[in-house]
Amino acid sequence: MKIEIIGVTGMPEIEPGDDLPGLILAACAEGDTELQAGDVLVVTQKIVSKAEGRLVDLSDVTPSQFALEYAEKWGKDPRQIEVVLRESARIVRMDKGILISETHHGFVCANAGVDASNVPGEHIVGLLPEDSDASADRIRMAVQQATGLDLPVIITDSFGRPWRNGIVNIAIGVSGLAPLKDFRGQDDQYGYKMSATVIAVADEIASAAELAMGKIEACPVAIVRGYPYDAAEGNAQELVMDPARDMFR
């Protein structure tokens, strides 16, 4: 199997209300990276959130007493702490100035995905898309209407991982492919029947794509070409572990 990962360069700074699919297609055309049948389009959360206006000016935020006390203890901005609390459905752990929370989408991550990196403005922070699966659907439908190609779309963000240092890209929005590949019940090469092997395909595509997109290279879109994905409507909620099986709750 040969898989290519192609970074799409030439994307402008995204503003609220921008036609994000149109800008992606224009960048693909200018960079001689025209989309092809079978491609997977990978888009970073940050530009999706910018286009959807998911930005908060901290100057407009009045922190709660809880946020004030926690921020003072750990040397944080209480306004940003307040935004994190508002974006959290549940606080999983808070210690040493680090907030691990469960978002309203069900994702467990640092600071509920609230982030000031790659966001213009000294006091501006970005939030996760309100419904990242719906965002992926909209991009997929717009690309299909413009090109005639029905391509899967994965929206990504960087999350930390239990037991491991460093962050990796994962899928927080999926449309057009099955995000999981289930090998349970199949025999391995030695004839043993697999009982627990379910591969997080969408996460692996997202992580691989980050190698081409990078963090500071201003390349927020990538094309993954050559991977034989299973076409399906799909959504990132399939990747969220059932609370009954989550040993960290």
Side-chain angles (χ1 to χ4, degrees):
M1 185 188 302
K2 178 182 177 181
I3 299 175
E4 293 181 270
I5 306 169
I6 306 162
V8 177
T9 58
M11 288 288 294
E13 178 62 37
I14 304 300
E15 303 286 345
D18 279 350
D19 174 14
L20 184 57
L23 292 173
I24 291 172
L25 291 173
C28 287
E30 291 176 9
D32 197 26
T33 51
E34 289 282 1
L35 293 168
Q36 300 177 11
D39 286 349
V40 179
L41 187 62
V42 182
V43 184
T44 60
Q45 161 268 322
K46 199 60 60 70
I47 63 170
V48 175
S49 292
K50 288 178 181 177
E52 295 180 354
R54 294 284 287 165
L55 304 172
V56 174
D57 187 338
L58 295 180
S59 302
D60 299 328
V61 176
T62 301
S64 63
Q65 186 62 36
F66 181 86
L68 286 167
E69 292 173 359
Y70 187 81
E72 182 178 8
K73 181 178 180 180
W74 298 108
K76 302 290 184 178
D77 187 330
R79 301 169 302 174
Q80 188 162 342
I81 296 296
E82 179 63 27
V83 175
V84 171
L85 296 173
R86 293 176 185 179
E87 290 297 304
S88 300
R90 177 174 68 97
I91 300 300
V92 178
R93 184 75 181 270
M94 52 190 308
D95 193 16
K96 301 180 177 65
I98 300 172
L99 275 165
I100 304 298
S101 63
E102 180 181 338
T103 72
H104 299 289
H105 321 74
F107 307 137
V108 176
C109 58
N111 300 317
V114 177
D115 190 7
S117 66
N118 292 312
V119 176
E122 186 177 355
H123 301 291
I124 307 297
V125 295
L127 315 180
L128 296 181
E130 189 170 337
D131 183 340
S132 42
D133 283 322
S135 300
D137 279 336
R138 286 191 290 269
I139 295 172
R140 177 185 164 207
M141 293 301 105
V143 169
Q144 182 178 16
Q145 186 173 13
T147 67
L149 299 171
D150 186 5
L151 306 180
V153 173
I154 295 176
I155 296 174
T156 72
D157 197 12
S158 296
F159 280 22
R161 302 158 296 161
W163 306 306
R164 305 286 288 182
N165 287 322
I167 59 175
V168 297
N169 253 18
I170 70 163
I172 65 166
V174 173
S175 179
L177 61 74
L180 297 167
K181 192 171 185 67
D182 192 345
F183 288 92
R184 290 174 297 183
Q186 299 185 38
D187 292 339
D188 68 11
Q189 61 179 326
Y190 300 106
Y192 293 105
K193 195 170 297 294
M194 291 181 282
S195 61
T197 304
V198 181
I199 304 299
V201 169
D203 282 345
E204 292 193 332
I205 293 173
S207 184
E210 188 177 31
L211 297 174
M213 295 189 290
K215 285 299 181 191
I216 58 175
E217 288 79 5
C219 182
V221 178
I223 299 165
V224 175
R225 180 168 293 163
Y227 178 73
Y229 61 84
D230 295 327
E233 286 306 306
N235 61 72
Q237 290 302 308
E238 297 176 53
L239 295 160
V240 177
M241 184 170 288
D242 187 326
R245 297 182 58 242
D246 188 343
M247 296 174 65
F248 295 93
R249 286 178 182 261

